[in-house]
Amino acid sequence: MENYIFGAKATAAGLYQALSALEPEKKIKAFLVTDAAHNFHEIWGCPVRPLTEISEELSDRKKADVAVYAAVPELIHKEVKALLEGNGFTNLVMLDSDREADIMGRYFQKEGRFLSVHSLGLPDGTGAQGDLPKLTVYAASFYKDKQLESPPQMPSYVRKLYLGCAGAVLNGIEISGQADFYDNTGDNISEKNPNRCEMTAHYWVWKNRLHTEDEYVGICHYRRILDLSEEDLRKIKANDVDIVLPYPMVHYPACQVHHTWYVAEKDWKLMRRVVGDLYPDYLMKFDEVFDAPEFYNYNMMLAKKQVFADYCAWLYPILDRIEELSQPKGVDRCDRYTAYMSESLETLYFMTNRNQLKIYHTGRILYI
């Protein structure tokens, strides 16, 4: 059976790497795209070709013997499924978040990198199960968030944190009673939400919620959460894990391509300069980190309180200095540029410190 991957961005590149390692007999013929002009011509030697071109080349009988992996954001799966079926492809594998996490987890486990929290055991002397850690995960939410078709029943340790509240109040929008916490209370940067996005949540938790009895704090989104079972939480505590992050996305040819989609080149150069000014040791790792394929998306994590605090204390001086020096200044723009930069800076920080911290990974559950 011939195999194709629909898509040519990070999800597709990661799937290609994983299948090549886990099932080398399952040769991928090509990446299929709707617009070849705005994609690479090949990814790791595998051609990128227009879907319509392949559809015209293959007979209906041949298409029945073709498997197509749809490696695109889950939010557009319905449209993509209809598109592929409309072109005669019926043997489809829709790469949802569960399937992607399973494949990428097995791939990284085989590679001995970015190890899964699910692979941990309970150390001797822990007891039959081990204790649950004290933790709170703050679900970053926004008053303009799209209503979910099937709102999830979040775990009891997840608390809703409303973001951009300063702007909502300024515009006369009623938000009281809609969340457990609001990012315009206490020490906050709520007014910066148009640029910082979920990073106003990290700041608010850092400044206002690290005095609690929690051992771990986390950030998730109203529609994305780290896939952690109760057993996983017991393993995290028993193994003294420092931080849990989502499996990294795999970018071709290197993860620095991420910024070309979301961050202007002049802003990227400014970020690099600021990192060098504030943290010269990290500048020495900058090119090495961003020349590698793996990249931490989503600004989601579950971390020991001190690990979280150390990261925030490192991160926010960079973001503040970038906003001060950028043209136009951060206060004069609302393009989320520092939020996208935060993903790159998270990647830089934890890739640089991966030998000093006990970092484990898991998938992300997406609610539609």
Side-chain angles (χ1 to χ4, degrees), residues 1-4 25-27 29 62-68 91:
M1 177 178 285
E2 292 186 351
N3 299 278
Y4 293 86
E25 73 285 354
K26 192 174 284 185
K27 300 294 184 184
K29 293 275 292 184
K62 185 69 173 175
K63 288 176 185 175
D65 292 326
V66 165
V68 179
N91 187 8

Side-chain angles (χ1 to χ4, degrees), residues 2 103 129 148 151 156 178 207 239 242 244 285-286 311 313 319 337 356:
E2 292 186 351
I103 292 174
Q129 291 184 308
L148 300 179
S156 60
Q178 299 187 39
K207 293 297 186 179
N239 289 276
D242 286 313
V244 180
K285 288 288 187 177
F286 195 97
Y311 169 59
L319 298 181
Y337 75 121
Q356 287 72 49

Side-chain angles (χ1 to χ4, degrees), residues 5 35 46 54 70 98 100 130 151 191 210 221 256 296 313 333 367:
I5 294 175
D35 183 4
C46 185
I54 297 295
D98 287 341
E100 181 186 1
E191 77 283 354
L210 298 190
H221 302 164
Q256 62 178 295
Y296 286 125
R333 56 200 285 185
Y367 302 106

Side-chain angles (χ1 to χ4, degrees), residues 189-260:
I189 53 170
S190 181
E191 77 283 354
K192 295 188 176 187
N193 184 261
N195 285 325
R196 299 285 181 95
C197 299
E198 66 271 8
M199 299 315 295
T200 67
H202 289 68
Y203 184 93
W204 188 86
V205 172
W206 174 38
K207 293 297 186 179
N208 299 285
R209 297 297 296 172
L210 298 190
H211 66 280
T212 70
E213 294 182 354
D214 285 333
E215 300 163 87
Y216 289 83
V217 296
I219 303 289
C220 69
H221 302 164
Y222 85 108
R223 71 183 316 144
R224 288 191 190 92
I225 186 172
L226 294 177
D227 182 12
L228 294 169
S229 66
E230 184 174 298
E231 180 183 2
D232 293 328
L233 295 175
R234 295 180 191 279
K235 290 177 179 179
I236 289 168
K237 180 178 174 67
N239 289 276
D240 198 31
V241 171
D242 286 313
I243 185 167
V244 180
L245 296 168
Y247 294 119
M249 303 290 285
V250 177
H251 291 268
Y252 175 85
C255 72
Q256 62 178 295
V257 74
H258 180 272
H259 93 263
T260 67

